[in-house]
Amino acid sequence: MSSPDLNQVRIDISSTDSQLLELLSKRRKLSINVAQSKLATTKPVRDTEREQQLLVKLIEQGKALNLDALYVTQVFHSIIEDSVLLQQAYLQNHINPETVAHKVRVAFLGQQGSYSHLAAQKYFARRAEEVIEHGCASFKEIINTVESGRADYALLPIENTSSGGINEVYDILQHTSLHIVGELSVPVEHCLLVATDTEEHKIKTIYSHFQPVAQCSEYLSTLNDIKIEQADSSANALEIVSQLQRDDVAAIGNSEGGRLYGLTPIQTGIANQKQNYSRFIVVARKPIDVAAQIPAKTTFIMSVKQRPGSLVDALLILKQNKINMCKLESRPIPGNPWEEMFYVDVESNVDSDNMRNALKNLGEITTFIKILGCYPSDDIKPTNPTVDS
Ligand SMILES: O=C(O)C(=O)C[C@]1(C(=O)O)C=C[C@@H](O)C=C1
């Protein structure tokens, strides 16, 4: 048998890919139709039972076509995630028409290639056709840029799965007039990046923002005689190393950002936790409404009376109203030694009856309470198909 002609096979592959794209686009239009129908019925966007039925059927059909179950599941998890995000965006635009914009100005920490820059690109890819980027040198500058109207949104990293909460951001939230309008989690894959053809044992100085240093502490402790030089951001570290062009310096950063500065990774996956994620919040001058069909989160801050059990009493109010708390952080209140401000994230829409009731009751027993924002939850967990094997 003569072997297939590569050029012809490639032409056939390209044509099949075009058909796949057309089908994906057709499916997306159907997702919008679903969203329109849910708008009228207020049914939730997510229907995991339907997803499970879909996946089981698709796995079965896939088997008959020689496609393995894992592959089919992965492809359709990604298709369904897109469908959910698309529907959520449609419903959010419908309920907040004033936020629909062709062009948005976004402030973030650092410059091109920083994790915040990559997160901003990811978040706004679905929300605006044009993003005007506004890199800032500090969190204060970011907040100021949005408060003064020079940018529409800011992205702030709030916590990381390795190094925990970012205190400076929590403290800033106590005083800003901005509101949380969104969140997103991005995988943080730290690498050791270099500008020349060098090796790990030759590195004497590592440039990095202090957060990656904390997140990679275990790897860094295995290196001998290393000096850590602090940079303003991860991207700033990449820029310095790119300018120095030395065999004995390296930066901690992500490989995508490194590419922008002509750097190559010599070690990958150097974070303490292999599943290293950063969660960002998106803030704006005006609060938004969250459609009832979408899972929402509300963030509020509160301080309680200095007496036994006051925090427990506050949390019991959430329990009595069947509200799940997904985060609790405490930070000192400047000028009030040993008093704490509590940051609470709950899985609830601020406009729901339960949440209104809880906030009313909390108002009666707390010494201070302020809602920082209500926003769509970023957490789209893939549905598990029940596969009989
Ligand atoms: O069928 C629905 O209700 C949809 O919203 C569509 C769809 C899908 O894309 O297939 C998306 C989200 C739901 O969780 C289930 C299925």
Side-chain angles (χ1 to χ4, degrees):
M1 199 179 84
S2 65
S3 54
D5 172 48
L6 181 59
N7 282 339
Q8 185 53 50
V9 180
R10 285 184 173 170
I11 291 169
D12 293 347
I13 285 184
S14 296
S15 145
T16 311
D17 289 346
S18 302
Q19 289 172 40
L20 284 172
L21 285 180
E22 268 168 38
L23 288 173
L24 287 173
S25 163
K26 185 175 169 190
R27 197 186 194 285
R28 276 191 130 205
K29 284 184 192 127
L30 293 171
S31 296
I32 294 292
N33 290 350
V34 173
Q36 285 163 340
S37 121
K38 285 181 180 169
L39 191 61
T41 60
T42 67
K43 260 185 122 178
V45 164
R46 206 80 200 269
D47 181 343
T48 47
E49 218 172 287
R50 163 76 179 151
E51 286 183 24
Q52 202 169 30
Q53 288 164 358
L54 263 178
L55 289 169
V56 169
K57 190 139 191 262
L58 288 161
I59 288 168
E60 226 177 81
Q61 289 178 348
K63 260 190 202 158
L65 295 164
N66 247 338
L67 299 167
D68 73 75
L70 185 66
Y71 177 57
V72 172
T73 309
Q74 279 174 345
V75 169
F76 278 90
H77 274 163
S78 147
I79 290 175
I80 291 170
E81 185 191 49
D82 177 72
S83 166
V84 171
L85 291 173
L86 199 64
Q87 292 188 53
Q88 291 193 356
Y90 179 88
L91 294 167
Q92 278 306 95
N93 286 347
H94 187 269
I95 196 173
N96 301 286
E98 68 289 352
T99 64
V100 181
H102 164 77
K103 200 193 281 186
V104 293
R105 299 166 300 163
V106 182
F108 54 84
L109 185 67
Q111 59 217 57
Q112 282 234 322
S114 66
Y115 285 107
S116 295
H117 175 230
L118 299 175
Q121 284 187 327
K122 184 177 170 202
Y123 186 81
F124 288 100
R126 286 180 176 275
R127 291 172 173 86
E129 271 159 46
E130 198 184 332
V131 178
I132 299 171
E133 296 168 353
H134 207 306
C136 297
S138 66
F139 291 133
K140 277 210 175 88
E141 188 189 327
I142 296 176
I143 293 289
N144 195 262
T145 305
V146 182
E147 279 180 342
S148 64
R150 280 174 290 135
D152 308 304
Y153 297 97
L155 242 94
L156 298 165
I158 187 93
E159 59 177 308
N160 174 272
T161 47
S162 301
S163 54
I166 298 170
N167 291 339
E168 209 185 328
V169 174
Y170 278 110
D171 292 347
I172 275 176
L173 289 175
Q174 268 188 46
H175 306 290
T176 179
S177 60
L178 302 180
H179 303 266
I180 306 177
V181 296
E183 66 165 357
L184 85 156
S185 295
V186 292
V188 174
E189 279 143 12
H190 290 314
C191 308
L192 192 69
L193 297 136
V194 293
T196 62
D197 186 14
T198 184
E199 287 165 61
E200 188 189 67
H201 67 92
K202 294 187 190 156
I203 305 299
K204 293 281 165 265
T205 308
I206 294 179
Y207 287 85
S208 176
H209 185 241
F210 71 90
Q211 284 291 340
V213 171
Q215 292 160 18
C216 302
S217 58
E218 285 168 20
Y219 165 74
L220 291 172
S221 71
T222 65
L223 304 177
N224 294 325
D225 296 332
I226 291 280
K227 199 169 140 209
I228 306 285
E229 288 283 357
Q230 187 150 328
D232 287 343
S233 68
S234 296
N236 177 231
L238 301 174
E239 190 182 30
I240 296 170
V241 171
S242 156
Q243 282 165 355
L244 289 172
Q245 290 290 323
R246 288 171 60 128
D247 284 352
D248 58 351
V249 299
I252 301 178
N254 68 310
S255 56
E256 231 173 291
R259 222 176 298 129
L260 286 174
Y261 293 90
L263 305 185
T264 38
I266 49 167
Q267 278 296 346
T268 55
I270 62 172
N272 299 355
Q273 284 186 33
K274 294 306 155 211
Q275 294 271 4
N276 189 23
Y277 284 88
S278 280
R279 189 167 80 94
F280 290 81
I281 51 170
V282 184
V283 293
R285 282 185 299 285
K286 280 198 178 147
I288 55 155
D289 290 326
V290 180
Q293 300 90 338
I294 298 178
K297 267 191 193 172
T298 298
T299 299
F300 61 90
I301 51 176
M302 65 178 185
S303 56
V304 294
K305 290 184 187 132
Q306 291 292 304
R307 61 169 196 228
S310 345
L311 178 62
V312 174
D313 289 343
L315 300 184
L316 277 175
I317 290 178
L318 297 179
K319 183 180 175 194
Q320 282 149 9
N321 286 283
K322 300 190 170 48
I323 292 169
N324 185 41
M325 181 179 71
C326 44
K327 179 109 193 137
L328 177 67
E329 281 278 336
S330 72
R331 289 293 302 148
I333 302 174
N336 294 19
W338 311 118
E339 285 198 26
E340 297 290 315
M341 185 66 80
F342 295 102
Y343 288 76
V344 188
D345 283 357
V346 291
E347 288 175 341
S348 187
N349 193 315
V350 76
D351 286 329
S352 67
D353 290 344
N354 291 6
M355 196 63 202
R356 279 175 197 263
N357 199 38
L359 287 170
K360 185 175 151 281
N361 295 343
L362 283 169
E364 287 158 10
I365 64 157
T366 51
T367 51
F368 173 82
I369 184 157
K370 179 185 165 197
I371 295 165
L372 296 182
C374 176
Y375 45 94
S377 166
D378 172 54
D379 198 9
I380 301 173
K381 286 194 187 78
T383 299
N384 254 338
T386 40
V387 200
D388 301 320
S389 50

